[in-house]
Amino acid sequence: ALMILPLQDRSSFGFLCLSCSKSNVNDISNGKDDGDGDCAGAYNHPQEDASFFEYAIDSFLRGDYAYQFAEDAPSPNLALPPGETVDLALRSLRALDQPEPAHGAAVLMRFCIPLSRAEKWGDRLNEPWKEVLRGSLTPEMFAKRIRASPFAGLLDWSKIDVTEGTTTASVLDEANNAAAAIVGTPSLAFVSVALYFGKGVEPTLIQFTLRRMNGGLWMIDTARQSQKELFVSRD
């Protein structure tokens, strides 16, 4: 049986055919034979093409990355509270292409709850953050869609201020979170982020909603722009 796995190499987006160890997606998907006698049209069925592209989408939404993650790249862990989770994810995104192209976008995806199948393939969502997510196939595309969205400031800020807000216990959405809620344990958190860009540019304010996932990890569920008046004190 043909298997497709992420290829950790220098290509921008590659996969490896375990039938012949080829990594050229076009040759594999088009069933071309390069004359070496291996994988002669092994991947030339429409249903396999569909499976490949669905895998590619799921692979990205899981946080898979075609490059090697940096050894010190952050990832969710039980010691991280909601505020620090958001802070680490956004600082990684800001250093977008260090040490590899779109590395920061790939790291951010580690901290995001994967979209449900309905969110990925259903009607247009009324949540700009999730619209950005579901329109992205690779970390490079994710970064470009952030740039073209209301969240573009996440790529350009010169100073960031992260404020952890309230945490509450809630009924978990089984479509996104299979963890069993423990009575009295916070499972929903709100984190406010102020992005500053220098003189003459107003700050951008974004509120992130996080959920406690399997094993107790805090993960980013969604985000929305906030009203500046809620965070700026008046004389």
Side-chain angles (χ1 to χ4, degrees), residues 84-136:
E84 191 171 351
T85 294
V86 172
D87 187 76
L88 288 172
L90 298 188
R91 290 183 185 276
S92 296
L93 178 65
R94 182 62 180 85
L96 180 62
D97 294 322
Q98 300 297 325
E100 300 284 0
H103 181 269
V107 172
L108 173 58
M109 285 307 306
R110 285 177 157 183
F111 290 90
C112 294
I113 296 175
L115 299 181
S116 67
R117 183 168 294 275
E119 289 171 330
K120 284 186 288 185
W121 304 110
D123 294 334
R124 182 176 177 83
L125 302 171
N126 192 28
E127 296 186 54
W129 179 257
K130 292 188 177 183
E131 282 291 341
V132 170
L133 287 177
R134 80 168 184 173
S136 304

Side-chain angles (χ1 to χ4, degrees), residues 43-61:
Y43 191 74
N44 59 0
H45 299 293
Q47 62 269 31
E48 290 175 340
D49 286 330
S51 297
F52 169 78
F53 288 111
E54 183 172 344
Y55 177 88
I57 294 170
D58 290 342
S59 175
F60 170 67
L61 295 176

